[in-house]
């Protein structure tokens, strides 16, 4: 089986469905009736399972490597064995008295046996077994004569009686799995022309000393894997590989390529080493390994399958601990992860069953699921948060205060079952666990409206029993949201899913907006009725990943032009709703000009300042607003009269001078961005762009620009935006006066 590294997570797609004035999304993981375990969607997103998917099928000594396309000798009864014959275009073989001799000129064939996955029968049209297949157990020695240039793939695998192999000087390549599982093989001679040893060609053989020719050019991490009895490696005269003290190096000694597995005790890697190759210490019998500060790169699986390893000390040179780094190190008790390590990849310490505790430094910036769920992890970075499934995210909590509308939730349940009865389907039961999850997901959608949670995980991480999800926002009643869902094929498929038995429904109301969620399950844990619930105000902590993709937030001031002594309200807008939260840090760049007091801004002295807002621990995503404070005029009545007269006069005059603006063109060339091109107007200082996703410009946003080309960012895909623009001039005092608005132009965000 060709080894490869599969992703730990299946990516899931998000399907977005829109109506004229409402938005809704669904995720469907409903499996076909005959394939429930696969959880494959009929039309939409798949729920992924997170596990290590056979990084490579590796075994400890005494167990054989399973080779795709191979079978045991007993399965090859349909093939006759000859004492001699051909095994390549110009290559022959002869088996006599347990000695197999390969002669001729050119390459040996590659061999394979393919079996039907259902019946187990050999598919003869696709199989090409070696002619000595039935007699592999009788072969004691193999001699490959000069003239042969390649040892065929799988040619001598599972020759369990084979003790000696001599490969001639014309052989340049040894095919994959050529001698796999030949665990009696203790005497191996490689010819002086061998350049390539392919994957698992020598897997599991029992040699103590490996002598590599100077001709070697192509070795991978799998070429010399699982040499359990190996004590020494020798090579001389090679420009690519070197041996010192029986250890194999590359790059002039800078890369430690392979450490002999049989050696025991403690080992400190030499200070001249800068890289440890993939699987370099795989299957080692060492009890302690010290990595020096000079090592800046660690290969995947560098220390995996070290069941004797108890202590591993990483140096300060590397910044990443790679995938499967210490996988299956069941004796590992002590790990030192120093400051400077920023990334720990998936499965790095899986199956390290003796690793009770590990401390993570403050430098960690990327980590998902490197440890077993029950491993105690001490984090020195307060923003590094461990989730219930054992994975990690770097984020912070936002408190969302909203109303949980249980009356609406149970009304939706009635409507769901009404639709299911029309199709002859059984009613869904409101499940307590799924109900709680659905309400939580409603709060999460206030922060980040998507099937991806604000912590960056897929929606199914909220509840392992959830098999499908529908979400919507903007609808004001159960009838309205059900109508929208039933008019969407994907959402309808979830509602009418024949494998579903339970449901959880969430309805969250915040500042005039409803957020609707349906979570579907294939079983029932605890059913609940409407009598047990009443609508209530609640505050939930929502975890937000420290990533600007999920940091969909804006800061708004009720006014950014103040007189001394005046105040302004500070609002923080997440997604579509204003949230007041204790996790905020709001600062003034110049407190002597304006001071921040909670969620209010106090003007103190004339001048300018920037109001800076970010969530605790995420200053790199700070948002700023500019504030101007003017001097206070004592005579209030005089001020009012002067301002009224001056403004009226100025506006009257200016309106005549400022031409009506017009939009030249709108372009949606970049993701979630629109380029607004404005026809230039002479003798103006700039332009104000106003945009909203409704014709009435409710909750509109504005952009001020001095250029005729301006980019509006952070828009939503599949949404239609209405845009208008007007020009402005500045008076001597810096006040803006505006001309008339342009004609409204709309654009749908497709990218």
């Amino acid at each position: 089986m060709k080894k490869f590294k599969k992703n730990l997570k299946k990516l899931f797609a998000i399907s977005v469905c829109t109506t004229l004035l409402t938005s809704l999304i669904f995720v469907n993981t409903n499996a076909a009736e005959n394939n429930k375990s696969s959880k494959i969607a009929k039309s939409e997103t798949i729920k992924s399972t997170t596990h290590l998917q056979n990084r490579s099928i590796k075994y400890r000594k005494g167990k054989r490597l399973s080779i795709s396309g191979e079978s045991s000798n007993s399965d090859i009864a349909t093939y006759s064995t000859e004492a001699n014959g051909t095994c390549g275009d110009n290559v022959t073989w002869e088996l006599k008295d347990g000695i197999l001799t390969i002669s001729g000129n050119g390459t040996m064939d590659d061999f394979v046996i393919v079996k039907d996955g259902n019946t187990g029968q050999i598919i003869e049209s696709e199989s090409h077994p070696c002619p000595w297949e039935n007699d592999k157990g009788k072969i004691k020695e193999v001699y490959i004569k000069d003239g042969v240039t390649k040892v065929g793939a799988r040619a001598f695998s599972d020759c369990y009686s084979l003790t000696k192999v001599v490969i001639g000087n014309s052989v340049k390549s040894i095919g994959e799995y050529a001698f796999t599982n030949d665990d009696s093989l203790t005497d191996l001679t490689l010819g002086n022309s061998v350049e390539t040893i392919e994957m698992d060609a020598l897997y599991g053989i029992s040699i103590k000393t490996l002598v590599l020719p100077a001709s070697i050019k192509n070795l991978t991490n799998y070429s010399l894997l699982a040499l359990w009895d190996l004590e020494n490696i020798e090579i001389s005269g090679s420009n690519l590989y070197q041996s010192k003290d029986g250890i194999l190096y590359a790059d002039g000694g800078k890369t430690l390529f392979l450490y002999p597995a049989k050696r025991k005790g403690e080992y400190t890697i030499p200070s001249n080493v800068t890289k440890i190759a993939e699987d370099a210490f795989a299957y080692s019998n060492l009890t302690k390994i010290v990595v020096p500060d000079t090592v800046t790169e660690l290969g995947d699986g560098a220390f995996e399958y070290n069941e004797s390893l108890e202590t591993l000390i990483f140096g300060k040179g590397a910044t990443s601990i790679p995938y499967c780094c210490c996988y299956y190190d069941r004796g590992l008790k002590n790990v030192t992860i120093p400051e400077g390590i920023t990334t720990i990849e998936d499965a790095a310490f899986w199956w390290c069953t003796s690793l009770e505790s590990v401390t993570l430094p403050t430098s960690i910036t990327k980590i998902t699921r490197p440890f077993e769920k029950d491993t105690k992890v001490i984090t020195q970075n307060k923003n590094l948060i461990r989730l219930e499934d054992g994975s990690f995210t770097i984020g912070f909590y936002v408190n969302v205060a909203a109303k949980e509308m249980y009356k609406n939730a149970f009304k939706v349940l009635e409507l769901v079952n009404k639709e299911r009865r029309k199709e002859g389907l059984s009613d869904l039961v409101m499940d307590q666990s799924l109900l709680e999850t659905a309400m939580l997901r409603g709060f999460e959608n206030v922060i980040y409206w998507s099937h991806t949670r604000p912590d960056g995980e897929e929606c199914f991480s909220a509840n392992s029993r959830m098999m499908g999800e529908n979400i919507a926002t903007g609808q004001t009643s159960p009838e309205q949201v059900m109508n929208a869902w039933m008019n969407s094929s994907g959402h309808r498929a979830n509602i009418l899913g024949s494998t579903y038995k339970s449901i959880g429904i969430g309805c969250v109301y915040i500042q005039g907006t409803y957020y609707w969620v349906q979570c579907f399950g294939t079983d029932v844990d605890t059913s609940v009725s409407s009598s047990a619930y009443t609508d209530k105000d609640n505050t939930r902590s929502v975890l937000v990943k420290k990533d600007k993709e999920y940091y969909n937030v804006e800061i708004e001031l009720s006014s950014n032009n103040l007189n001394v002594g005046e105040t302004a309200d500070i609002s923080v807008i997440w997604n579509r709703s204003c949230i007041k939260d204790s996790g905020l840090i709001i600062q003034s760049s110049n407190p002597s000009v304006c001071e921040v007091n909670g969620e209010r801004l106090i003007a103190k002295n004339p001048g300018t300042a920037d109001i800076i807002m970010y969530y605790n621990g995420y200053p790199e995503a700070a948002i700023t607003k500019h504030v101007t404070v003017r001097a206070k005029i004592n005579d209030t009545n005089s001020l009012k009269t002067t301002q009224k007269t001056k403004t009226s006069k100025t506006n009257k005059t200016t309106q005549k001078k400022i031409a009506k603006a017009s939009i030249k063109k709108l372009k949606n060339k970049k993701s979630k961005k629109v380029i607004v091109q404005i026809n230039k107007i002479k003798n103006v200082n700039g332009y104000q762009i106003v945009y909203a996703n409704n014709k009435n410009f409710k909750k509109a946003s504005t952009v001020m620009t001095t250029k005729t080309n301006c980019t509006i960012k952070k828009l939503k895909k599949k949404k239609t935006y209405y845009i208008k623009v007007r020009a402005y001039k500045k008076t001597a005092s810096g006040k803006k006066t505006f001309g008339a608005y342009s004609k409204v132009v709309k654009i749908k965000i497709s990218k």
Side-chain angles (χ1 to χ4, degrees), residues 372-487:
E372 295 290 340
K373 186 177 181 180
D374 56 353
T375 303
K376 182 181 179 182
V377 179
I378 302 169
T379 60
Q380 297 180 339
N381 183 347
K382 66 179 181 179
N383 296 126
L384 185 60
I385 298 169
R386 195 172 195 183
L387 307 180
E388 291 184 3
D389 63 355
S391 64
F392 292 82
T393 191
I394 297 180
F396 49 88
Y397 285 95
V398 176
N399 294 324
V400 181
K403 191 166 190 173
E404 297 175 345
M405 311 291 287
Y406 289 96
K407 183 177 180 181
N408 281 346
F410 280 92
K411 180 61 178 178
V412 170
L413 175 64
E414 292 178 11
L415 298 173
V416 165
N417 287 329
K418 182 179 179 180
E419 295 293 338
R420 290 178 64 87
R421 291 172 197 144
K422 291 179 183 178
E423 302 298 325
L425 299 169
S426 60
D427 285 1
L428 297 183
V429 175
M430 185 75 84
D431 181 89
Q432 185 178 34
S433 173
L434 294 178
L435 172 60
E436 173 65 20
T437 298
M439 285 294 180
L440 170 63
R441 290 286 297 126
F443 280 80
E444 291 181 342
N445 274 288
V446 174
I447 298 296
Y448 189 68
W449 192 71
S450 169
H451 289 303
T452 301
R453 303 177 70 188
D455 64 9
E457 295 292 313
E458 60 182 33
C459 60
F460 302 109
S461 68
N463 192 322
S464 62
R465 294 176 54 241
M466 185 193 353
M467 297 293 143
E469 179 181 82
N470 287 344
I471 65 176
T473 185
Q475 299 83 2
T476 58
S477 69
E479 291 80 9
Q480 197 177 86
V481 73
M482 275 297 296
N483 182 63
W485 277 331
M486 292 302 293
N487 285 323

Side-chain angles (χ1 to χ4, degrees), residues 11-257:
L11 299 177
F12 69 98
I14 297 177
S15 178
V16 179
C17 306
T18 60
T19 58
L20 289 175
L21 297 175
T22 61
S23 303
L24 55 157
I25 307 178
F26 76 98
V27 175
N28 184 340
T29 63
N30 189 20
E33 294 275 359
N34 61 350
N35 192 23
K36 295 180 181 180
S37 62
S38 69
K39 297 184 178 139
I40 298 178
K42 293 180 178 178
S43 60
E44 292 296 320
T45 303
I46 304 173
K47 176 179 180 180
S48 70
T49 56
T50 304
H51 62 283
L52 184 67
Q53 300 185 14
N54 292 340
R55 168 180 150 71
S56 57
I57 301 180
K58 302 173 182 177
Y59 299 90
R60 296 297 297 166
K61 187 175 181 181
K63 296 185 179 180
R64 297 179 177 275
L65 177 64
S66 175
I67 307 172
S68 177
E70 291 268 340
S71 65
S72 64
N73 296 340
S74 61
D75 294 324
I76 318 297
T78 57
Y79 296 94
S80 62
T81 302
E82 301 176 356
N84 57 73
T86 61
C87 55
D89 289 342
N90 296 297
V91 182
T92 61
W93 66 276
E94 182 181 31
L95 178 60
K96 185 177 181 181
D97 298 329
I99 298 174
L100 179 60
T101 304
I102 309 298
S103 309
N105 295 285
T107 65
M108 289 180 62
D109 288 341
D110 291 328
F111 303 105
V112 65
I113 295 173
V114 180
K115 301 172 72 175
D116 186 281
N118 295 318
T119 66
Q121 297 296 312
I122 296 171
I123 304 174
E124 296 191 31
S125 60
E126 299 180 16
S127 299
H128 180 50
C130 58
W132 51 86
E133 186 73 41
N134 285 338
D135 290 317
K136 279 186 173 182
K138 301 176 182 178
I139 301 173
K140 297 180 180 181
E141 297 180 6
V142 171
Y143 295 88
I144 300 174
K145 299 293 187 178
D146 289 347
V148 179
T149 57
K150 178 186 176 182
V151 178
R154 302 170 173 82
F156 310 105
S157 61
D158 294 307
C159 293
Y160 50 84
S161 300
L162 181 62
T163 60
K164 182 179 180 178
V165 173
V166 178
I167 296 175
N169 291 327
S170 59
V171 171
K172 292 186 176 182
S173 175
I174 301 175
E176 62 182 11
Y177 308 107
F179 299 97
T180 292
N181 296 331
D182 297 347
D183 45 22
S184 296
L185 179 55
T186 58
D187 187 352
L188 172 66
T189 301
L190 300 177
N192 58 23
S193 298
V194 175
E195 297 178 353
T196 301
I197 300 177
E198 296 185 7
M199 182 175 66
D200 286 329
L202 308 179
Y203 186 103
I205 70 173
S206 300
I207 59 172
K208 294 183 178 181
T209 298
L210 175 63
V211 181
L212 295 170
S215 56
I216 282 288
K217 295 181 180 179
N218 301 305
L219 290 176
T220 70
N221 60 307
Y222 288 124
S223 296
L224 307 175
L225 191 65
L227 302 179
W228 294 302
D229 293 315
L230 190 63
E231 297 177 355
N232 292 285
I233 306 168
E234 298 178 5
I235 188 173
S236 60
S238 173
N239 294 324
L240 299 176
Y241 301 95
Q242 307 81 38
S243 64
K244 184 179 180 180
D245 300 326
I247 302 168
L248 185 63
Y249 296 89
D251 305 318
K254 293 182 179 180
T255 298
L256 197 158
F257 195 87

Side-chain angles (χ1 to χ4, degrees), residues 267-301:
Y267 181 67
T268 298
I269 296 169
S271 60
N272 62 296
V273 174
T274 61
K275 177 182 178 181
I276 300 176
E278 293 186 35
D279 295 296
F281 288 88
Y283 300 102
S284 160
N285 284 279
L286 295 170
T287 57
K288 181 180 180 179
I289 300 175
V290 179
V291 182
D293 294 346
T294 55
V295 173
T296 59
E297 184 178 353
L298 301 169
D300 290 351

